[in-house]
Amino acid sequence: MSVELNHTIVHARDNRESAAFFADLLGLEITGEWGPFVAVALSNGVTLDFATVPAEHITPQHYAFLVSEAEFDAAYAKISERGITHWADPHQKQPNEINRNDGGKGVYFLDPSDHAMELITVPYGGWPQR
């Protein structure tokens, strides 16, 4: 059997708020709720299982998502329309901009629990040569 990531748990101040924020931004759906988890499925079958934990136990993490140009443009329009602070770089030195690394687009922003989210349209280093 090949090794695949199946799911990861994302600590949140409010699991429903964070799951809804993420799902809405990327045009995804909440696909399940069980126990303390609210799940959002990605197109490759991986789920992000949002769990409410006390704020003092949340360590901000970085989550990067490879999206299509159309998905990026739709998400970026929502980011802009909603006034979500965003940056072209992970060090938050280029506010309200996107980057154009490796021939694609990229943006960084924080989710409701202050996790650093990143959307890119081309993998770092570019697409593999065929």
Side-chain angles (χ1 to χ4, degrees), residues 14-30 33 38-40 50 78 82 112:
D14 179 320
N15 59 356
R16 284 177 180 74
E17 176 189 31
S18 289
F21 171 86
F22 182 77
D24 179 61
L25 190 68
L26 291 176
L28 301 170
E29 294 183 14
I30 292 175
E33 294 187 36
V38 177
V40 176
F50 293 87
K78 291 177 185 177
R82 295 174 187 174

Side-chain angles (χ1 to χ4, degrees), residues 107-118:
V107 68
Y108 297 83
F109 57 96
L110 302 178
D111 83 341
S113 295
D114 292 331
H115 293 297
M117 301 294 197
E118 178 183 8

Side-chain angles (χ1 to χ4, degrees), residues 59-78:
T59 300
Q61 300 292 311
H62 174 75
Y63 297 94
F65 301 93
L66 182 62
V67 299
S68 70
E69 290 276 337
E71 290 164 329
F72 182 94
D73 292 343
Y76 188 69
K78 291 177 185 177

Side-chain angles (χ1 to χ4, degrees), residues 24-96:
D24 179 61
L25 190 68
L26 291 176
L28 301 170
E29 294 183 14
I30 292 175
T31 55
E33 294 187 36
W34 55 92
F37 305 110
V38 177
V40 176
L42 306 178
S43 63
N44 59 352
V46 173
T47 62
L48 300 180
D49 297 348
F50 293 87
T52 300
V53 300
E56 63 271 15
H57 293 137
I58 297 174
T59 300
Q61 300 292 311
H62 174 75
Y63 297 94
F65 301 93
L66 182 62
V67 299
S68 70
E69 290 276 337
E71 290 164 329
F72 182 94
D73 292 343
Y76 188 69
K78 291 177 185 177
I79 288 168
S80 298
E81 289 165 7
R82 295 174 187 174
I84 297 171
T85 303
H86 59 281
W87 303 269
D89 64 306
H91 304 291
Q92 302 176 353
K93 303 288 187 202
Q94 300 170 323
N96 303 314

